[in-house]
Each structure stands twice: as structure tokens, then as C-alpha cells.
């Protein structure tokens, strides 16, 4: 939970703690998806717990900004605290990690679909499409 990215002793191979791995995987996008999308597989209780955590984090962030703290530094500290809270709760951790994975698959699918659409458009513009008939 510190600014220094290594969390183990120097005798073993350095590794990151769970909350820092969440941060590296951009877990905030997954939490936002879980709260906003009705298609997400989160239960009502889980959504409520996440909503309360996010609202509390937002209030802490606003307070830090009003106290004159640098917004970037304030966000990083709030993000770490939220990541630690999510990582500590096994159910939330599992749901957020699954959602991160799901969002990555969706992004790959969207990129592939965009590429296919570009290829189709190029073929139509070049007149290389063959029509049967």
C-alpha cells in the first residue's frame, strides 16, 4: 500500500500485493461497470456494498481536495484504500477479477469487430467484393 512497488523482502523475488495488482488491472473500470450495467452478474447486495464503498471513496477524495491536497495524490491514496478494501473481501475480489477478465474479452471482441468492418468497407470501396448470381 506504499508508493514503493515492491512489497516483499529483498531476499526473495519482488512481487506486488493484491491491491496493487487490482490497481494495475484498472479495477475502477470493472467496479463502474458492475454499478452501472444491468447486465452484470452482481447480486443486489453486492452492488449495494460496492456503491457504499464508492460513495465513501468519493467523499474522502472530495475532502482531501478541499483540504488542499494535490488531486492526483489524493486520487492515488483513495484508489489504494478502495483496492485494499475490495481485495480484503473475498466475494468482492472474485467478482471484480471476473469482471476485469470479462471486460478484456469484450474489448478484444470490439477491436476484432472494428477491424472486420474496416476490411468490409475497404473491399466495397475497392469493388473487390464478388457477388454471386
Amino acid at each position: 500500500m506504499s508508493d514503493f512497488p515492491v512489497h516483499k523482502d529483498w531476499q526473495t523475488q519482488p512481487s506486488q500485493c493484491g491491491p496493487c495488482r487490482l490497481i494495475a488491472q484498472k479495477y475502477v473500470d470493472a467496479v463502474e461497470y458492475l454499478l452501472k450495467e444491468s447486465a452484470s452478474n452482481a447480486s443486489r447486495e453486492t452492488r449495494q456494498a460496492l456503491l457504499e464503498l464508492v460513495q465513501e471513496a468519493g467523499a474522502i477524495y472530495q475532502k482531501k481536495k478541499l483540504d488542499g491536497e494535490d488531486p492526483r495524490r489524493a486520487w492515488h491514496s483513495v484508489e489504494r484504500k478502495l483496492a485494499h478494501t475490495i481485495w480484503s473481501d473475498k466475494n468482492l475480489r472474485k467478482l471484480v477479477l471476473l469482471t476485469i477478465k470479462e471486460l478484456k474479452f469484450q474489448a478484444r471482441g470490439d477491436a476484432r469487430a472494428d477491424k472486420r468492418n474496416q476490411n468490409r468497407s475497404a473491399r466495397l470501396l475497392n469493388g473487390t467484393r464478388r457477388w454471386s448470381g
Side-chain angles (χ1 to χ4, degrees), residues 22 25 27 30-31 34-35 41-54 56 81-100:
L22 278 179
Q25 294 182 21
Y27 79 100
V31 171
L34 287 168
L35 291 176
N41 54 356
S43 68
R44 185 178 192 149
E45 295 81 23
T46 304
R47 280 187 191 199
Q48 186 61 35
L50 278 173
L51 183 62
E52 289 171 7
L53 287 174
V54 168
E56 180 184 339
K81 185 178 184 313
L82 184 59
H84 182 68
T85 304
I86 289 173
W87 190 263
S88 299
D89 185 324
K90 184 179 178 181
N91 293 330
L92 290 178
R93 176 178 62 221
K94 184 177 177 182
L95 181 63
V96 168
L97 288 173
L98 287 173
T99 304
I100 289 170

Side-chain angles (χ1 to χ4, degrees), residues 7-102:
H7 298 272
K8 299 289 181 184
D9 62 33
W10 289 106
Q11 301 302 318
T12 59
Q13 181 179 359
S15 63
Q16 288 183 323
C17 68
C20 286
R21 285 190 301 229
L22 278 179
I23 292 168
Q25 294 182 21
K26 298 181 172 73
Y27 79 100
V28 175
D29 295 336
V31 171
E32 189 174 284
Y33 175 81
L34 287 168
L35 291 176
K36 291 185 178 181
E37 296 296 323
S38 60
S40 71
N41 54 356
S43 68
R44 185 178 192 149
E45 295 81 23
T46 304
R47 280 187 191 199
Q48 186 61 35
L50 278 173
L51 183 62
E52 289 171 7
L53 287 174
V54 168
Q55 287 174 341
E56 180 184 339
I60 292 170
Y61 174 69
Q62 292 300 325
K63 184 181 181 314
K64 286 182 178 229
K65 275 181 36 181
L66 288 175
D67 290 345
E69 189 172 336
D70 176 49
R72 190 173 194 178
R73 179 168 277 207
W75 167 247
H76 285 301
S77 67
V78 169
E79 182 183 37
R80 283 188 188 122
K81 185 178 184 313
L82 184 59
H84 182 68
T85 304
I86 289 173
W87 190 263
S88 299
D89 185 324
K90 184 179 178 181
N91 293 330
L92 290 178
R93 176 178 62 221
K94 184 177 177 182
L95 181 63
V96 168
L97 288 173
L98 287 173
T99 304
I100 289 170
K101 192 179 224 182
E102 180 182 327

Side-chain angles (χ1 to χ4, degrees), residues 106-117:
Q106 285 179 2
R108 282 188 209 135
D110 291 346
R112 288 182 184 147
D114 289 343
K115 181 76 173 162
R116 283 190 216 114
N117 288 336

